[in-house]
Amino acid sequence: PDWARGIRCGASSRPQPPMSVPSATKGGELFVPYRAVGLVSAGLPVAVVQHGGETFVTASLGRTFQIYNCAKLRQVFVGPSLPAGITALGAHDDYTLVACGTAVVVYKRAELVATLEGEHTAPVRHLLAMGSSVVSVDATGLLVAWQLPSGEVAGRLHPGFAASALCHPATYLNKVLLGAPDGRMQLWNLRSSKRVHEFEHGWRAAVTAFEQSPALDVVGVGLADGRLLLHNLKFDTTLLELRHTHGDAVRCLAFRTDGQPWLVSGAASGALHVWHLERRARLSLEPCAHEGGVASCHFLRGRPELLTAGAADNSLRMWSSDLHSGELSALRGRAGHAAPPTLVRFHDDELHVGGGPGGQTHLLSAGGDRTLRRSSIWSAQQDCELSQGRETKRRSMHETSVRERRLPPVLALASSQRRERDWANVVTCHAGSPVAYSWDTTTKALAPHTLAARPAAPITAVAISACGNFAFLGSAIGAIDKYNLQSGKPRAAAAAEERHEGAVRGLAAAADGRTLFSCGGGGAPRRAG
C-alpha cells in the first residue's frame, strides 16, 4: 500500500485514520503502513527552486519526497510512493525531478508528467536541470539530456569516467561541466556530444562539488582532499585556493548572492566554513552544524540566509549570518532522529482524557542519537526536540562530539498530560545513570529537578502517578523511590525487605492513585499500596 500517496499537509481537512482495519490484507498482513512520522531528509542533496518571492526545497525520504517552504520550513507537500529508493533529486519551475533506479520521474506538483527511461542501464546518480531540459548521469558515466515535458532524448554522451560532480556554467549554452574521481575536469557540448575543453589543471583529488559563482566564467570547485578553488573557465586559471583543516573533504559549496563576497563550504565532518573571498581568509567556522556530514548548502537568492541539509542526521536547517563577523546562528530547522528510535510511547493519559485521536496525537521517542523528541501524528510542524541545553553546556568543555555532550541513551520513560501546564510531566532514566531526569513538554526542555536513586544505583525503570504529581523510580538493586514532581523532593521509598532481588524492570501506577505494580528480579510482579 502507498501510505504516502496523495498526502498534502495544510489541507482544508485533517486526515483521519480509517474507521476499521481489515484483519488481514491480500498478503496476509495484520498491520499495514499508514503514516511515517519524524522523517525530514534521507541524506541526499536537496533540490532548491524559487517561485516568485518564495523558495522551496525538495528532500528525499527514501521512496518518496517532500517539499518545504523555506520561509518557515513548513511542509507543503508529500509526494507519492515510488517503486524503488530515490537516488537523486532536481527541480525546475513547477517540475520536480526524481531519479528512481534507472528512470527519472517528472512531476508537476502531484501530477505525473513523464517517466524518462530506456537509456540508462545503471542507477542514476546525478540530476541537473538546464532550462527546458534535464541531464541525468548514471553510475557507469553515461550522460543523457532529456527535453521537458516531452521526454525526448536531446543528446547522450560518455566522457570516459563516471562523473562525481557536474554543473551548468551560466551563459554557456548547451554546455555541462563534469568533474571526475581522478581530478579531471571537462566541458562538454550536449547537442553535439563533443568535448569542448579539458582543463589543464589536474587536481589529483576527486572533484566532489561545483557551484556557479555570481561572476560569469568563474565556478567554485570542491575536492575530496579539503581544497576549494575558484576557477576561471574562460582562461583556465585558478583565481583562489582555500583549504579545510585536516583534509576534511568538501561536500558542497554556496555563494552569497546579496553583494557580499562570501563562500560557504560544507564538509564531510559536518562543519560549515564561511570564507571571505576578497580577504582570502576564513571568517568563521561552525564545527558541528550537522552530524555525519553536510549534504547540501544553498544561500537564498538575495538574502543572507543559508539552507543546509545533513548527510546522515535527518535534518534541514536555516542559518542567518552576521554581516561583520560572519558567524552563523541557527534560525530555524526541521529534524528527526539521527539514529534509529529505541523507545517510542504515546504521550497520553488514556484513562483520564479518553485516549484515541484526542489524547494520542503526540509521540515521545528516544533514539541512538541520545535525543528525546516529541512528534505529532498529524502535523510535522509541531515536531520538536526537547532541549538538553543545561546538561550539554556542562559537558561542552570536555567533549567535542555533539552526541557525546548529550545525556546517555534513554532506557525508559514515563509521561502524563494531567499536570502538563503546571510542572514537569515526563521522566526518563538513562543507561548507567543513578539519576532520573524530569522534562517539561510545555517549555520543551529539561525541568529543574533531577531525581536520584536512594541508595545510589543505576535507575532502570520509571513511572508517573495517575494524578501527575509523583514519579516512581526503580533501580538496579531492586529499590523503589517516590518523588514529588513539583518540588523534586523524595516522598517515600520501599522498605529493604520489600525490594526486588534484582533490577526493577518495570513500573506501572494504577488509576486509583494508591497502587503501584512492579516487576524485577525473581520473576513475579508485585503490588504495593
Side-chain angles (χ1 to χ4, degrees), residues 41-48 57-60 89 208-211 250-254 264-268 270-272 289-290 292-299 306-313 315-319:
S41 174
L44 290 177
V46 298
V48 180
V57 56
T58 304
S60 165
L89 288 170
T208 56
F210 284 133
E211 182 67 17
V250 179
R251 285 279 185 87
C252 53
L253 299 169
V264 171
S265 57
L272 287 173
H290 289 278
V294 183
S296 297
C297 59
H298 182 88
F299 269 110
L306 178 72
L307 169 70
T308 62
D313 63 357
S315 69
L316 294 174
R317 292 192 172 96
M318 293 289 298
W319 308 80

Side-chain angles (χ1 to χ4, degrees), residues 86-404:
I86 295 173
T87 55
L89 288 170
H92 175 67
D93 290 339
D94 290 335
Y95 296 110
T96 301
L97 315 171
V98 183
C100 175
T102 60
V104 178
V105 187
V106 182
Y107 292 96
K108 187 174 183 179
R109 296 186 174 90
E111 177 186 358
L112 176 64
V113 175
T115 301
L116 314 179
E117 55 187 349
E119 294 290 329
H120 293 290
T121 58
V124 176
R125 297 301 185 196
H126 302 280
L127 288 176
L128 176 65
M130 295 175 53
S132 61
S133 61
V134 57
V135 176
S136 57
V137 182
D138 65 23
T140 66
L142 177 64
L143 185 149
V144 181
W146 314 78
Q147 287 291 339
L148 293 178
S150 64
E152 297 178 358
V153 177
R156 62 176 66 82
L157 61 91
H158 199 296
F161 55 84
S164 55
L166 73 160
C167 80
H168 169 56
T171 72
Y172 282 53
L173 187 64
N174 299 322
K175 307 297 191 304
V176 61
L177 184 66
L178 303 178
D182 59 4
R184 285 180 290 168
M185 193 167 72
Q186 299 177 353
L187 186 68
W188 286 77
N189 188 310
L190 295 176
R191 291 293 182 183
S192 63
S193 300
K194 294 182 179 180
R195 188 176 66 193
V196 176
H197 182 68
E198 179 165 359
F199 296 88
E200 295 181 1
H201 294 76
W203 308 122
R204 300 182 303 279
V207 179
T208 56
F210 284 133
E211 182 67 17
Q212 173 66 50
S213 77
L216 295 180
D217 302 318
V218 179
V219 297
V221 183
L223 303 178
D225 62 0
R227 286 180 291 163
L228 51 146
L229 317 163
L230 289 187
H231 197 79
N232 188 302
L233 303 179
K234 185 175 181 179
F235 298 103
D236 194 7
T237 57
T238 299
L239 307 177
L240 177 64
E241 179 175 329
L242 303 167
R243 186 183 293 271
H244 287 173
T245 54
H246 309 298
D248 197 4
V250 179
R251 285 279 185 87
C252 53
L253 299 169
F255 288 92
R256 192 162 162 176
T257 59
D258 61 348
Q260 295 294 328
W262 289 11
L263 170 65
V264 171
S265 57
S269 66
L272 287 173
H273 301 256
V274 182
W275 308 89
H276 196 289
L277 300 180
E278 292 182 351
R279 300 177 189 171
R280 298 172 177 256
R282 183 167 56 197
L283 281 177
S284 66
L285 170 65
E286 185 68 31
C288 303
H290 289 278
E291 291 186 61
V294 183
S296 297
C297 59
H298 182 88
F299 269 110
L300 272 60
R301 186 184 302 172
R303 297 167 63 183
E305 296 179 6
L306 178 72
L307 169 70
T308 62
D313 63 357
N314 188 27
S315 69
L316 294 174
R317 292 192 172 96
M318 293 289 298
W319 308 80
S320 63
S321 50
D322 184 85
L323 180 61
H324 302 288
S325 67
E327 294 288 340
L328 296 177
S329 56
L331 191 60
R332 64 184 70 94
R334 288 284 174 265
H337 282 293
T342 56
L343 185 65
V344 182
R345 297 285 186 271
F346 276 108
H347 177 44
D348 67 337
D349 285 317
E350 291 185 5
L351 297 175
H352 299 286
V353 298
Q360 296 185 355
T361 58
H362 289 88
L363 294 170
L364 290 173
S365 58
D369 57 354
R370 301 189 179 186
T371 62
L372 180 64
R373 305 192 66 87
R374 188 182 70 179
S375 305
S376 169
I377 295 177
W378 305 119
S379 174
Q381 191 78 1
Q382 299 178 21
D383 296 356
C384 66
E385 176 187 345
L386 274 64
S387 172
Q388 301 182 24
R390 186 186 72 212
E391 296 297 321
T392 56
K393 288 178 181 178
R394 293 178 181 177
R395 295 170 169 82
S396 61
M397 295 294 293
H398 311 286
E399 300 288 350
T400 57
S401 169
V402 175
R403 189 170 298 188
E404 293 300 322

Side-chain angles (χ1 to χ4, degrees), residues 7-11 35 74-78 378-380:
I7 298 175
R8 186 177 180 87
C9 294
R35 179 182 292 268
R74 180 177 179 271
Q75 186 188 61
V76 296
F77 180 74
V78 178
W378 305 119
S379 174

